[in-house]
Amino acid sequence: MSVKFTEAFKIQAVQKALNRSADSNIKDVADSLGVGFSTLTKWIRQAKNHEFEMASEAELKMMSNEKRPQDWTLEERLEIIIQCAALDEKAINELCRESGIYPHHIQQWKTDFVNGKKSSSVTPRSGEVKELKIENKALKKELNRKDKALAETAALLVLQKKVNAIWGADEDS
């Protein structure tokens, strides 16, 4: 089943992808929007080629007011789970469209409540995450430098042994 996205949604998705932070990539943006990576890259390509119709300001403003699934509070999640309990699949899909979420979000939230998991929207402080990413990058860089130095030293030792074998030089000298 294919999903039809509005021009306003596509434009906003492209804007979000192009204005993403340095520590995120297009795949992360696509996942957060619930669209495929290839779909988002296609929309970006289309936007660069000016293939989109411009959406009205009202559409864009309405889109920007919609909450992402991870922005829902626990109370709001519980409320929609309770609302969906008495509905059939068609009614649930309609409610989800109105709310800007997918049925799998509701199912995941229900599972989280049943299992007593913390909200998946609770994330570590962004400053802490940024610090850890910077430290991780520095450690990887240092490890890479040391690996190269070790490889160079090993190559020099092998080369020295080969030269000694060819020229018959003493190991003592």
Side-chain angles (χ1 to χ4, degrees):
M1 178 177 100
S2 70
V3 178
K4 295 288 183 184
F5 294 100
T6 64
E7 290 288 318
F9 179 83
K10 292 176 183 179
I11 292 168
Q12 190 176 20
V14 168
Q15 288 173 342
K16 187 172 183 177
L18 296 177
N19 296 329
R20 68 189 185 278
S21 63
D23 61 338
S24 69
N25 57 36
I26 293 178
K27 176 89 171 100
D28 296 336
V29 174
D31 290 341
S32 73
L33 292 171
V35 299
F37 172 74
S38 59
T39 303
L40 184 56
T41 55
K42 181 179 89 174
W43 292 347
I44 292 170
R45 197 171 42 254
Q46 288 174 338
K48 287 180 179 176
N49 294 332
H50 306 289
E51 295 177 19
F52 284 135
E53 297 176 17
M54 284 309 296
S56 69
E57 278 302 310
E59 280 183 309
L60 288 174
K61 190 170 186 177
M62 183 185 75
M63 291 285 294
S64 65
N65 290 338
E66 286 183 7
K67 288 195 302 187
R68 301 174 305 167
Q70 56 266 38
D71 295 337
W72 286 53
T73 65
L74 290 175
E75 291 81 16
E76 291 170 329
R77 292 177 182 195
L78 181 60
E79 186 178 317
I80 200 154
I81 289 169
I82 293 169
Q83 285 177 347
C84 291
L87 301 177
D88 64 347
E89 188 175 339
K90 186 177 178 182
I92 290 173
N93 289 334
E94 187 176 326
L95 179 63
C96 288
R97 276 193 299 278
E98 291 170 3
S99 303
I101 57 174
Y102 289 100
H104 73 268
H105 291 125
I106 295 172
Q107 188 60 43
Q108 181 63 49
W109 295 342
K110 186 176 180 181
T111 304
D112 288 349
F113 273 110
V114 169
N115 294 335
K117 288 186 181 177
K118 296 248 187 230
S119 169
S120 58
S121 66
V122 177
T123 56
R125 294 186 322 251
S126 63
E128 184 180 334
V129 171
K130 192 172 185 176
E131 260 180 49
L132 290 172
K133 284 185 179 183
I134 291 170
E135 182 182 2
N136 189 15
K137 187 175 181 179
L139 290 171
K140 283 182 179 179
K141 187 175 180 179
E142 183 181 354
L143 180 62
N144 191 23
R145 181 185 60 79
K146 288 183 177 182
D147 281 346
K148 286 180 181 178
L150 183 60
E152 183 179 356
T153 303
L156 287 173
L157 287 172
V158 168
L159 187 60
Q160 183 180 13
K161 285 184 179 181
K162 286 184 179 182
V163 167
N164 289 341
I166 291 172
W167 296 102
D170 281 339
E171 301 264 337
D172 301 334
S173 56

